[in-house]
Amino acid sequence: MVRRARVFVFGLLLCLSWVPAEAQLRSLSILHTNDLHAHLLPDARQQGGFAQIAAVLRRETAGCNSCLILNAGDLVQGTPVSTLYQGVPIYEIANLLGFDASVLGNHEFDYGWRKIPEYIRLARFPIIAANVADERGRLLAKQAYVILPVNGIRVAVIGALTADLPNLTTANLLGPWRARPVVDAVRRSAREASQKADLIVVLGHLNPIEEDALLREAPEVAVVVSGHVHAGLESPKNSDGRVAVRLRAYGEEIGRLDLEVDLEKKAVVKSSWKRIPVNAATTPPAEDVARAVELWESKVRKIVDVPIGTAKRGFTREELVPVIEQAMAEEMGTDLAFIQVGGIRDSLPPGTILARHVWNIIPFDNKMVAGTFQGRELPPAVTAGRSLDPNREYTLAVSDFVASAQRAELGVTGLKFSRRTNRLQRDLLIDWIKKKKVLE
Ligand SMILES: [Zn+2]
């Protein structure tokens, strides 16, 4: 009797485990965002806005039992609310967006690394990074990865931040933390996580070379959800069915990656990706998020929503380079000035110029510095398009960020900027526009 029962149970187990191949397929949808950069409100073209992003995410995930929402870094830095309150309100509001996980971006360091443990405490979603560690190997984010169970799939989400980190942040903000090479760190976490997971996803804030390297050299990684390069991708990068996706910055769009996952092979067998535009003209805001945004925006409105001049036309970020360099040279009384287009974080729409526009263009609290150099000492980044005498002395104004990150920003080392000031680059530009009144 006992023996028969055993045989029966064994037979039943055999039946249960011997299921047709298609039953091993499960669907998974990954909704994702990257580089929101504290753009709480829609821009001049009605794109983005945290309340609109929330509305789109909630619409896309309504009644969904196979959805995850991932955020690929650089949540803070880009608007006055972020600068004035050092990113804290942005994490508070992000709690309403339903993220299942978020990775550290390089700009999460912009108010000093000590703010990051504060963000982690404040966030009601896990913040992960497998490769940001100190000399002793201690992780800043505490968690390298999380395992998220969804629709019967155990999804391991591994965080990774670009190893360029030291070139993107100044030493005092970075403290003891470094970003180790991405592929190695991810593969180590993947080996550990694979015992407990059916699918490995990397949530990365990465440069394109690192995205490609993961697809090429980390076959255990099925999906890379990336951020950092603000241009976004037109279509997914694809390598043997393994995919990498990335969106345009500032919440202009939300990504939706629909996957069919083979649990046995621990692989994606089918995927499709769409980019869903976020437009305030067609998307009513999520009320609770709109209230939270308004609470913080109302605190800064008096400071930043003040007219300071008029723009006769719109200026792209590239077109703002000579304008800002002129402002820096005139206000600092130097022969030359230099700003990287990467340091200019927004375009300028035509019409009334508000102080807010300048805050969005230069959200950083960078201070002005200047130095005197021989023409021949100046790097091509500064001399391009100018005819300078190599044997003459020139004065050059830059931000203290450019001065301290001059290897990455200017392509040189050893330039000494002996004139330090306490004047913010942003304030300088606001003062100059007030005097100039009209930008042509
Ligand atoms: Zn970014």
Side-chain angles (χ1 to χ4, degrees), residues 102-105 108-109 113 116-117 119-121 125-134 137-146 158-161 177-178:
S102 185
V103 65
L104 291 177
E108 260 73 46
F109 287 83
W113 71 267
I116 290 175
Y119 300 153
I120 292 172
R121 274 196 300 279
F125 46 87
I127 296 174
I128 53 176
N131 64 329
V132 182
D134 65 9
R138 210 158 47 105
L139 293 182
L140 174 57
K142 305 283 187 281
Q143 300 182 91
Y145 61 91
V146 282
I158 302 172
L161 174 56
W177 309 101
R178 296 293 175 271

PDB file of all heavy atoms in Angstrom, residues 102-105 108-109 113 116-117 119-121 125-134 137-146 158-161 177-178:
ATOM      1  N   SER A 102      16.244  51.142  -8.716  1.00  0.00           N
ATOM      2  CA  SER A 102      16.918  52.262  -9.371  1.00  0.00           C
ATOM      3  C   SER A 102      18.420  52.077  -9.168  1.00  0.00           C
ATOM      4  O   SER A 102      18.846  51.523  -8.155  1.00  0.00           O
ATOM      5  CB  SER A 102      16.443  53.579  -8.744  1.00  0.00           C
ATOM      6  OG  SER A 102      16.997  54.688  -9.422  1.00  0.00           O
ATOM      7  N   VAL A 103      19.220  52.548 -10.145  1.00  0.00           N
ATOM      8  CA  VAL A 103      20.675  52.425 -10.015  1.00  0.00           C
ATOM      9  C   VAL A 103      21.248  53.821  -9.763  1.00  0.00           C
ATOM     10  O   VAL A 103      20.647  54.829 -10.149  1.00  0.00           O
ATOM     11  CB  VAL A 103      21.284  51.789 -11.289  1.00  0.00           C
ATOM     12  CG1 VAL A 103      21.103  52.676 -12.509  1.00  0.00           C
ATOM     13  CG2 VAL A 103      22.769  51.477 -11.099  1.00  0.00           C
ATOM     14  N   LEU A 104      22.404  53.874  -9.116  1.00  0.00           N
ATOM     15  CA  LEU A 104      23.092  55.150  -8.924  1.00  0.00           C
ATOM     16  C   LEU A 104      23.595  55.667 -10.265  1.00  0.00           C
ATOM     17  O   LEU A 104      24.199  54.923 -11.030  1.00  0.00           O
ATOM     18  CB  LEU A 104      24.304  54.975  -8.010  1.00  0.00           C
ATOM     19  CG  LEU A 104      24.049  54.655  -6.544  1.00  0.00           C
ATOM     20  CD1 LEU A 104      25.398  54.460  -5.836  1.00  0.00           C
ATOM     21  CD2 LEU A 104      23.240  55.759  -5.884  1.00  0.00           C
ATOM     22  N   GLY A 105      23.369  56.960 -10.544  1.00  0.00           N
ATOM     23  CA  GLY A 105      23.991  57.613 -11.697  1.00  0.00           C
ATOM     24  C   GLY A 105      25.140  58.481 -11.213  1.00  0.00           C
ATOM     25  O   GLY A 105      25.273  58.725 -10.009  1.00  0.00           O
ATOM     26  N   GLU A 108      24.145  61.463  -9.081  1.00  0.00           N
ATOM     27  CA  GLU A 108      23.735  61.243  -7.695  1.00  0.00           C
ATOM     28  C   GLU A 108      24.850  61.681  -6.729  1.00  0.00           C
ATOM     29  O   GLU A 108      24.607  61.857  -5.539  1.00  0.00           O
ATOM     30  CB  GLU A 108      23.350  59.776  -7.460  1.00  0.00           C
ATOM     31  CG  GLU A 108      21.861  59.507  -7.475  1.00  0.00           C
ATOM     32  CD  GLU A 108      21.211  59.562  -8.850  1.00  0.00           C
ATOM     33  OE1 GLU A 108      21.748  58.992  -9.811  1.00  0.00           O
ATOM     34  OE2 GLU A 108      20.135  60.188  -8.958  1.00  0.00           O
ATOM     35  N   PHE A 109      26.072  61.867  -7.247  1.00  0.00           N
ATOM     36  CA  PHE A 109      27.203  62.317  -6.415  1.00  0.00           C
ATOM     37  C   PHE A 109      27.323  63.844  -6.361  1.00  0.00           C
ATOM     38  O   PHE A 109      28.210  64.364  -5.693  1.00  0.00           O
ATOM     39  CB  PHE A 109      28.517  61.744  -6.966  1.00  0.00           C
ATOM     40  CG  PHE A 109      28.696  60.275  -6.718  1.00  0.00           C
ATOM     41  CD1 PHE A 109      28.112  59.335  -7.557  1.00  0.00           C
ATOM     42  CD2 PHE A 109      29.443  59.828  -5.632  1.00  0.00           C
ATOM     43  CE1 PHE A 109      28.282  57.972  -7.327  1.00  0.00           C
ATOM     44  CE2 PHE A 109      29.615  58.473  -5.397  1.00  0.00           C
ATOM     45  CZ  PHE A 109      29.029  57.544  -6.239  1.00  0.00           C
ATOM     46  N   TRP A 113      29.011  62.659  -1.884  1.00  0.00           N
ATOM     47  CA  TRP A 113      28.601  61.252  -1.763  1.00  0.00           C
ATOM     48  C   TRP A 113      27.787  61.006  -0.498  1.00  0.00           C
ATOM     49  O   TRP A 113      26.993  60.066  -0.449  1.00  0.00           O
ATOM     50  CB  TRP A 113      29.823  60.337  -1.819  1.00  0.00           C
ATOM     51  CG  TRP A 113      30.706  60.386  -0.607  1.00  0.00           C
ATOM     52  CD1 TRP A 113      31.799  61.177  -0.422  1.00  0.00           C
ATOM     53  CD2 TRP A 113      30.554  59.629   0.593  1.00  0.00           C
ATOM     54  NE1 TRP A 113      32.333  60.952   0.822  1.00  0.00           N
ATOM     55  CE2 TRP A 113      31.597  60.006   1.466  1.00  0.00           C
ATOM     56  CE3 TRP A 113      29.638  58.654   1.022  1.00  0.00           C
ATOM     57  CZ2 TRP A 113      31.748  59.460   2.737  1.00  0.00           C
ATOM     58  CZ3 TRP A 113      29.788  58.105   2.292  1.00  0.00           C
ATOM     59  CH2 TRP A 113      30.834  58.511   3.138  1.00  0.00           C
ATOM     60  N   ILE A 116      24.103  60.285  -0.684  1.00  0.00           N
ATOM     61  CA  ILE A 116      23.585  59.037  -1.262  1.00  0.00           C
ATOM     62  C   ILE A 116      22.959  58.122  -0.208  1.00  0.00           C
ATOM     63  O   ILE A 116      21.842  57.630  -0.416  1.00  0.00           O
ATOM     64  CB  ILE A 116      24.664  58.353  -2.137  1.00  0.00           C
ATOM     65  CG1 ILE A 116      24.860  59.216  -3.399  1.00  0.00           C
ATOM     66  CG2 ILE A 116      24.269  56.925  -2.500  1.00  0.00           C
ATOM     67  CD1 ILE A 116      25.955  58.772  -4.332  1.00  0.00           C
ATOM     68  N   PRO A 117      23.607  57.922   0.956  1.00  0.00           N
ATOM     69  CA  PRO A 117      22.918  57.136   2.006  1.00  0.00           C
ATOM     70  C   PRO A 117      21.577  57.765   2.412  1.00  0.00           C
ATOM     71  O   PRO A 117      20.636  57.040   2.755  1.00  0.00           O
ATOM     72  CB  PRO A 117      23.920  57.167   3.167  1.00  0.00           C
ATOM     73  CG  PRO A 117      25.249  57.382   2.520  1.00  0.00           C
ATOM     74  CD  PRO A 117      24.992  58.245   1.322  1.00  0.00           C
ATOM     75  N   TYR A 119      19.565  59.445   0.304  1.00  0.00           N
ATOM     76  CA  TYR A 119      18.623  59.041  -0.759  1.00  0.00           C
ATOM     77  C   TYR A 119      18.154  57.596  -0.536  1.00  0.00           C
ATOM     78  O   TYR A 119      16.980  57.276  -0.714  1.00  0.00           O
ATOM     79  CB  TYR A 119      19.267  59.117  -2.149  1.00  0.00           C
ATOM     80  CG  TYR A 119      19.779  60.477  -2.583  1.00  0.00           C
ATOM     81  CD1 TYR A 119      20.828  60.582  -3.493  1.00  0.00           C
ATOM     82  CD2 TYR A 119      19.214  61.662  -2.106  1.00  0.00           C
ATOM     83  CE1 TYR A 119      21.307  61.812  -3.919  1.00  0.00           C
ATOM     84  CE2 TYR A 119      19.698  62.901  -2.526  1.00  0.00           C
ATOM     85  CZ  TYR A 119      20.746  62.963  -3.424  1.00  0.00           C
ATOM     86  OH  TYR A 119      21.218  64.172  -3.842  1.00  0.00           O
ATOM     87  N   ILE A 120      19.114  56.735  -0.151  1.00  0.00           N
ATOM     88  CA  ILE A 120      18.779  55.314   0.015  1.00  0.00           C
ATOM     89  C   ILE A 120      17.778  55.129   1.156  1.00  0.00           C
ATOM     90  O   ILE A 120      16.840  54.343   1.043  1.00  0.00           O
ATOM     91  CB  ILE A 120      20.068  54.476   0.239  1.00  0.00           C
ATOM     92  CG1 ILE A 120      20.899  54.466  -1.056  1.00  0.00           C
ATOM     93  CG2 ILE A 120      19.742  53.051   0.681  1.00  0.00           C
ATOM     94  CD1 ILE A 120      22.283  53.845  -0.931  1.00  0.00           C
ATOM     95  N   ARG A 121      17.979  55.906   2.237  1.00  0.00           N
ATOM     96  CA  ARG A 121      17.022  55.832   3.358  1.00  0.00           C
ATOM     97  C   ARG A 121      15.643  56.334   2.954  1.00  0.00           C
ATOM     98  O   ARG A 121      14.618  55.807   3.346  1.00  0.00           O
ATOM     99  CB  ARG A 121      17.530  56.681   4.535  1.00  0.00           C
ATOM    100  CG  ARG A 121      18.494  55.954   5.462  1.00  0.00           C
ATOM    101  CD  ARG A 121      18.639  56.692   6.779  1.00  0.00           C
ATOM    102  NE  ARG A 121      19.138  58.055   6.619  1.00  0.00           N
ATOM    103  CZ  ARG A 121      20.442  58.363   6.463  1.00  0.00           C
ATOM    104  NH1 ARG A 121      21.343  57.406   6.449  1.00  0.00           N
ATOM    105  NH2 ARG A 121      20.821  59.618   6.322  1.00  0.00           N
ATOM    106  N   PHE A 125      12.190  52.306  -2.733  1.00  0.00           N
ATOM    107  CA  PHE A 125      12.556  51.298  -3.730  1.00  0.00           C
ATOM    108  C   PHE A 125      14.052  51.048  -3.551  1.00  0.00           C
ATOM    109  O   PHE A 125      14.776  51.923  -3.069  1.00  0.00           O
ATOM    110  CB  PHE A 125      12.263  51.804  -5.151  1.00  0.00           C
ATOM    111  CG  PHE A 125      12.722  53.218  -5.416  1.00  0.00           C
ATOM    112  CD1 PHE A 125      14.017  53.474  -5.853  1.00  0.00           C
ATOM    113  CD2 PHE A 125      11.877  54.306  -5.199  1.00  0.00           C
ATOM    114  CE1 PHE A 125      14.444  54.769  -6.083  1.00  0.00           C
ATOM    115  CE2 PHE A 125      12.307  55.616  -5.418  1.00  0.00           C
ATOM    116  CZ  PHE A 125      13.589  55.850  -5.864  1.00  0.00           C
ATOM    117  N   PRO A 126      14.522  49.846  -3.892  1.00  0.00           N
ATOM    118  CA  PRO A 126      15.953  49.579  -3.700  1.00  0.00           C
ATOM    119  C   PRO A 126      16.826  50.360  -4.674  1.00  0.00           C
ATOM    120  O   PRO A 126      16.475  50.507  -5.848  1.00  0.00           O
ATOM    121  CB  PRO A 126      16.071  48.069  -3.955  1.00  0.00           C
ATOM    122  CG  PRO A 126      14.832  47.669  -4.658  1.00  0.00           C
ATOM    123  CD  PRO A 126      13.769  48.673  -4.361  1.00  0.00           C
ATOM    124  N   ILE A 127      17.949  50.873  -4.167  1.00  0.00           N
ATOM    125  CA  ILE A 127      18.943  51.547  -5.001  1.00  0.00           C
ATOM    126  C   ILE A 127      20.165  50.632  -5.022  1.00  0.00           C
ATOM    127  O   ILE A 127      20.680  50.262  -3.970  1.00  0.00           O
ATOM    128  CB  ILE A 127      19.282  52.935  -4.437  1.00  0.00           C
ATOM    129  CG1 ILE A 127      18.021  53.814  -4.486  1.00  0.00           C
ATOM    130  CG2 ILE A 127      20.431  53.576  -5.214  1.00  0.00           C
ATOM    131  CD1 ILE A 127      18.175  55.159  -3.820  1.00  0.00           C
ATOM    132  N   ILE A 128      20.576  50.255  -6.237  1.00  0.00           N
ATOM    133  CA  ILE A 128      21.582  49.197  -6.366  1.00  0.00           C
ATOM    134  C   ILE A 128      22.783  49.666  -7.176  1.00  0.00           C
ATOM    135  O   ILE A 128      22.668  50.590  -7.986  1.00  0.00           O
ATOM    136  CB  ILE A 128      20.963  47.942  -7.046  1.00  0.00           C
ATOM    137  CG1 ILE A 128      20.276  48.324  -8.368  1.00  0.00           C
ATOM    138  CG2 ILE A 128      19.977  47.263  -6.112  1.00  0.00           C
ATOM    139  CD1 ILE A 128      19.720  47.152  -9.150  1.00  0.00           C
ATOM    140  N   ALA A 129      23.931  49.068  -6.941  1.00  0.00           N
ATOM    141  CA  ALA A 129      25.133  49.278  -7.763  1.00  0.00           C
ATOM    142  C   ALA A 129      26.156  48.230  -7.346  1.00  0.00           C
ATOM    143  O   ALA A 129      26.607  48.221  -6.203  1.00  0.00           O
ATOM    144  CB  ALA A 129      25.698  50.681  -7.585  1.00  0.00           C
ATOM    145  N   ALA A 130      26.505  47.353  -8.281  1.00  0.00           N
ATOM    146  CA  ALA A 130      27.407  46.237  -7.970  1.00  0.00           C
ATOM    147  C   ALA A 130      28.864  46.646  -7.972  1.00  0.00           C
ATOM    148  O   ALA A 130      29.703  45.955  -7.411  1.00  0.00           O
ATOM    149  CB  ALA A 130      27.198  45.112  -8.986  1.00  0.00           C
ATOM    150  N   ASN A 131      29.177  47.802  -8.630  1.00  0.00           N
ATOM    151  CA  ASN A 131      30.600  48.098  -8.851  1.00  0.00           C
ATOM    152  C   ASN A 131      31.068  49.393  -8.201  1.00  0.00           C
ATOM    153  O   ASN A 131      32.187  49.824  -8.453  1.00  0.00           O
ATOM    154  CB  ASN A 131      30.890  48.145 -10.358  1.00  0.00           C
ATOM    155  CG  ASN A 131      30.154  49.281 -11.058  1.00  0.00           C
ATOM    156  OD1 ASN A 131      29.059  49.667 -10.650  1.00  0.00           O
ATOM    157  ND2 ASN A 131      30.748  49.807 -12.098  1.00  0.00           N
ATOM    158  N   VAL A 132      30.225  50.048  -7.391  1.00  0.00           N
ATOM    159  CA  VAL A 132      30.674  51.272  -6.724  1.00  0.00           C
ATOM    160  C   VAL A 132      31.106  50.909  -5.308  1.00  0.00           C
ATOM    161  O   VAL A 132      30.269  50.600  -4.450  1.00  0.00           O
ATOM    162  CB  VAL A 132      29.567  52.349  -6.703  1.00  0.00           C
ATOM    163  CG1 VAL A 132      30.084  53.615  -6.038  1.00  0.00           C
ATOM    164  CG2 VAL A 132      29.077  52.630  -8.116  1.00  0.00           C
ATOM    165  N   ALA A 133      32.419  50.919  -5.104  1.00  0.00           N
ATOM    166  CA  ALA A 133      32.974  50.405  -3.851  1.00  0.00           C
ATOM    167  C   ALA A 133      34.165  51.251  -3.428  1.00  0.00           C
ATOM    168  O   ALA A 133      34.735  51.988  -4.237  1.00  0.00           O
ATOM    169  CB  ALA A 133      33.409  48.959  -4.043  1.00  0.00           C
ATOM    170  N   ASP A 134      34.522  51.136  -2.143  1.00  0.00           N
ATOM    171  CA  ASP A 134      35.747  51.792  -1.679  1.00  0.00           C
ATOM    172  C   ASP A 134      36.920  50.813  -1.819  1.00  0.00           C
ATOM    173  O   ASP A 134      36.755  49.702  -2.348  1.00  0.00           O
ATOM    174  CB  ASP A 134      35.583  52.328  -0.250  1.00  0.00           C
ATOM    175  CG  ASP A 134      35.377  51.223   0.772  1.00  0.00           C
ATOM    176  OD1 ASP A 134      35.522  50.031   0.410  1.00  0.00           O
ATOM    177  OD2 ASP A 134      35.056  51.531   1.932  1.00  0.00           O
ATOM    178  N   GLY A 137      36.461  47.321  -0.792  1.00  0.00           N
ATOM    179  CA  GLY A 137      35.445  46.543  -1.483  1.00  0.00           C
ATOM    180  C   GLY A 137      34.045  46.709  -0.912  1.00  0.00           C
ATOM    181  O   GLY A 137      33.106  46.035  -1.334  1.00  0.00           O
ATOM    182  N   ARG A 138      33.907  47.645   0.026  1.00  0.00           N
ATOM    183  CA  ARG A 138      32.590  47.909   0.610  1.00  0.00           C
ATOM    184  C   ARG A 138      31.722  48.640  -0.421  1.00  0.00           C
ATOM    185  O   ARG A 138      32.184  49.576  -1.069  1.00  0.00           O
ATOM    186  CB  ARG A 138      32.772  48.805   1.835  1.00  0.00           C
ATOM    187  CG  ARG A 138      31.757  48.645   2.923  1.00  0.00           C
ATOM    188  CD  ARG A 138      32.357  49.155   4.226  1.00  0.00           C
ATOM    189  NE  ARG A 138      33.012  50.449   4.041  1.00  0.00           N
ATOM    190  CZ  ARG A 138      32.503  51.612   4.459  1.00  0.00           C
ATOM    191  NH1 ARG A 138      31.361  51.661   5.092  1.00  0.00           N
ATOM    192  NH2 ARG A 138      33.160  52.740   4.244  1.00  0.00           N
ATOM    193  N   LEU A 139      30.465  48.200  -0.592  1.00  0.00           N
ATOM    194  CA  LEU A 139      29.592  48.810  -1.598  1.00  0.00           C
ATOM    195  C   LEU A 139      28.895  50.048  -1.031  1.00  0.00           C
ATOM    196  O   LEU A 139      28.345  50.011   0.073  1.00  0.00           O
ATOM    197  CB  LEU A 139      28.518  47.824  -2.051  1.00  0.00           C
ATOM    198  CG  LEU A 139      28.969  46.591  -2.846  1.00  0.00           C
ATOM    199  CD1 LEU A 139      27.754  45.764  -3.255  1.00  0.00           C
ATOM    200  CD2 LEU A 139      29.770  47.005  -4.081  1.00  0.00           C
ATOM    201  N   LEU A 140      28.907  51.133  -1.808  1.00  0.00           N
ATOM    202  CA  LEU A 140      28.208  52.356  -1.384  1.00  0.00           C
ATOM    203  C   LEU A 140      26.707  52.118  -1.313  1.00  0.00           C
ATOM    204  O   LEU A 140      26.030  52.560  -0.385  1.00  0.00           O
ATOM    205  CB  LEU A 140      28.525  53.505  -2.359  1.00  0.00           C
ATOM    206  CG  LEU A 140      27.763  54.804  -2.151  1.00  0.00           C
ATOM    207  CD1 LEU A 140      27.956  55.367  -0.748  1.00  0.00           C
ATOM    208  CD2 LEU A 140      28.194  55.849  -3.180  1.00  0.00           C
ATOM    209  N   ALA A 141      26.155  51.417  -2.308  1.00  0.00           N
ATOM    210  CA  ALA A 141      24.705  51.211  -2.361  1.00  0.00           C
ATOM    211  C   ALA A 141      24.246  50.033  -1.499  1.00  0.00           C
ATOM    212  O   ALA A 141      23.064  49.713  -1.475  1.00  0.00           O
ATOM    213  CB  ALA A 141      24.270  50.991  -3.805  1.00  0.00           C
ATOM    214  N   LYS A 142      25.204  49.375  -0.798  1.00  0.00           N
ATOM    215  CA  LYS A 142      24.895  48.208   0.033  1.00  0.00           C
ATOM    216  C   LYS A 142      24.440  47.005  -0.785  1.00  0.00           C
ATOM    217  O   LYS A 142      24.917  45.903  -0.597  1.00  0.00           O
ATOM    218  CB  LYS A 142      23.857  48.519   1.127  1.00  0.00           C
ATOM    219  CG  LYS A 142      24.240  49.680   2.031  1.00  0.00           C
ATOM    220  CD  LYS A 142      25.283  49.268   3.063  1.00  0.00           C
ATOM    221  CE  LYS A 142      25.537  50.376   4.064  1.00  0.00           C
ATOM    222  NZ  LYS A 142      26.426  51.436   3.555  1.00  0.00           N
ATOM    223  N   GLN A 143      23.504  47.182  -1.713  1.00  0.00           N
ATOM    224  CA  GLN A 143      23.027  46.045  -2.506  1.00  0.00           C
ATOM    225  C   GLN A 143      23.579  46.103  -3.925  1.00  0.00           C
ATOM    226  O   GLN A 143      23.408  47.098  -4.613  1.00  0.00           O
ATOM    227  CB  GLN A 143      21.500  46.052  -2.606  1.00  0.00           C
ATOM    228  CG  GLN A 143      20.785  45.970  -1.271  1.00  0.00           C
ATOM    229  CD  GLN A 143      19.278  45.940  -1.462  1.00  0.00           C
ATOM    230  OE1 GLN A 143      18.675  44.883  -1.570  1.00  0.00           O
ATOM    231  NE2 GLN A 143      18.666  47.104  -1.533  1.00  0.00           N
ATOM    232  N   ALA A 144      24.222  45.028  -4.362  1.00  0.00           N
ATOM    233  CA  ALA A 144      24.705  44.934  -5.743  1.00  0.00           C
ATOM    234  C   ALA A 144      23.532  44.664  -6.688  1.00  0.00           C
ATOM    235  O   ALA A 144      23.488  45.156  -7.803  1.00  0.00           O
ATOM    236  CB  ALA A 144      25.726  43.815  -5.866  1.00  0.00           C
ATOM    237  N   TYR A 145      22.594  43.849  -6.190  1.00  0.00           N
ATOM    238  CA  TYR A 145      21.453  43.457  -7.026  1.00  0.00           C
ATOM    239  C   TYR A 145      20.252  43.145  -6.143  1.00  0.00           C
ATOM    240  O   TYR A 145      20.385  42.998  -4.925  1.00  0.00           O
ATOM    241  CB  TYR A 145      21.797  42.232  -7.895  1.00  0.00           C
ATOM    242  CG  TYR A 145      22.150  40.988  -7.104  1.00  0.00           C
ATOM    243  CD1 TYR A 145      21.168  40.066  -6.740  1.00  0.00           C
ATOM    244  CD2 TYR A 145      23.467  40.741  -6.720  1.00  0.00           C
ATOM    245  CE1 TYR A 145      21.497  38.933  -6.011  1.00  0.00           C
ATOM    246  CE2 TYR A 145      23.800  39.608  -5.994  1.00  0.00           C
ATOM    247  CZ  TYR A 145      22.808  38.707  -5.638  1.00  0.00           C
ATOM    248  OH  TYR A 145      23.115  37.588  -4.926  1.00  0.00           O
ATOM    249  N   VAL A 146      19.091  43.052  -6.783  1.00  0.00           N
ATOM    250  CA  VAL A 146      17.883  42.591  -6.092  1.00  0.00           C
ATOM    251  C   VAL A 146      17.247  41.496  -6.938  1.00  0.00           C
ATOM    252  O   VAL A 146      17.430  41.474  -8.163  1.00  0.00           O
ATOM    253  CB  VAL A 146      16.839  43.704  -5.870  1.00  0.00           C
ATOM    254  CG1 VAL A 146      17.233  44.587  -4.704  1.00  0.00           C
ATOM    255  CG2 VAL A 146      16.614  44.531  -7.127  1.00  0.00           C
ATOM    256  N   ILE A 158      20.718  43.652 -11.601  1.00  0.00           N
ATOM    257  CA  ILE A 158      22.059  44.018 -11.116  1.00  0.00           C
ATOM    258  C   ILE A 158      22.343  45.468 -11.500  1.00  0.00           C
ATOM    259  O   ILE A 158      22.194  45.848 -12.658  1.00  0.00           O
ATOM    260  CB  ILE A 158      23.143  43.106 -11.742  1.00  0.00           C
ATOM    261  CG1 ILE A 158      22.855  41.630 -11.421  1.00  0.00           C
ATOM    262  CG2 ILE A 158      24.541  43.501 -11.261  1.00  0.00           C
ATOM    263  CD1 ILE A 158      23.770  40.646 -12.152  1.00  0.00           C
ATOM    264  N   GLY A 159      22.755  46.289 -10.521  1.00  0.00           N
ATOM    265  CA  GLY A 159      23.068  47.695 -10.797  1.00  0.00           C
ATOM    266  C   GLY A 159      24.512  47.855 -11.244  1.00  0.00           C
ATOM    267  O   GLY A 159      25.402  47.164 -10.760  1.00  0.00           O
ATOM    268  N   ALA A 160      24.752  48.786 -12.199  1.00  0.00           N
ATOM    269  CA  ALA A 160      26.128  49.071 -12.634  1.00  0.00           C
ATOM    270  C   ALA A 160      26.239  50.532 -13.058  1.00  0.00           C
ATOM    271  O   ALA A 160      25.378  51.049 -13.774  1.00  0.00           O
ATOM    272  CB  ALA A 160      26.529  48.159 -13.788  1.00  0.00           C
ATOM    273  N   LEU A 161      27.306  51.168 -12.607  1.00  0.00           N
ATOM    274  CA  LEU A 161      27.558  52.577 -12.937  1.00  0.00           C
ATOM    275  C   LEU A 161      28.849  52.669 -13.749  1.00  0.00           C
ATOM    276  O   LEU A 161      29.825  51.962 -13.463  1.00  0.00           O
ATOM    277  CB  LEU A 161      27.663  53.388 -11.634  1.00  0.00           C
ATOM    278  CG  LEU A 161      28.066  54.862 -11.719  1.00  0.00           C
ATOM    279  CD1 LEU A 161      27.137  55.654 -12.645  1.00  0.00           C
ATOM    280  CD2 LEU A 161      28.037  55.488 -10.328  1.00  0.00           C
ATOM    281  N   TRP A 177      34.915  56.602  -3.002  1.00  0.00           N
ATOM    282  CA  TRP A 177      34.210  55.656  -3.878  1.00  0.00           C
ATOM    283  C   TRP A 177      34.725  55.665  -5.296  1.00  0.00           C
ATOM    284  O   TRP A 177      34.986  56.715  -5.860  1.00  0.00           O
ATOM    285  CB  TRP A 177      32.702  55.952  -3.849  1.00  0.00           C
ATOM    286  CG  TRP A 177      32.219  56.017  -2.456  1.00  0.00           C
ATOM    287  CD1 TRP A 177      31.954  57.139  -1.726  1.00  0.00           C
ATOM    288  CD2 TRP A 177      32.004  54.908  -1.566  1.00  0.00           C
ATOM    289  NE1 TRP A 177      31.588  56.804  -0.441  1.00  0.00           N
ATOM    290  CE2 TRP A 177      31.606  55.438  -0.316  1.00  0.00           C
ATOM    291  CE3 TRP A 177      32.114  53.525  -1.702  1.00  0.00           C
ATOM    292  CZ2 TRP A 177      31.312  54.644   0.782  1.00  0.00           C
ATOM    293  CZ3 TRP A 177      31.816  52.719  -0.612  1.00  0.00           C
ATOM    294  CH2 TRP A 177      31.422  53.281   0.614  1.00  0.00           C
ATOM    295  N   ARG A 178      34.851  54.482  -5.870  1.00  0.00           N
ATOM    296  CA  ARG A 178      35.263  54.321  -7.263  1.00  0.00           C
ATOM    297  C   ARG A 178      34.307  53.347  -7.935  1.00  0.00           C
ATOM    298  O   ARG A 178      33.727  52.488  -7.277  1.00  0.00           O
ATOM    299  CB  ARG A 178      36.676  53.726  -7.344  1.00  0.00           C
ATOM    300  CG  ARG A 178      37.764  54.619  -6.763  1.00  0.00           C
ATOM    301  CD  ARG A 178      37.963  55.906  -7.580  1.00  0.00           C
ATOM    302  NE  ARG A 178      38.919  56.806  -6.956  1.00  0.00           N
ATOM    303  CZ  ARG A 178      38.592  57.739  -6.048  1.00  0.00           C
ATOM    304  NH1 ARG A 178      37.338  57.901  -5.662  1.00  0.00           N
ATOM    305  NH2 ARG A 178      39.514  58.516  -5.536  1.00  0.00           N
TER     306      ARG A 178
END
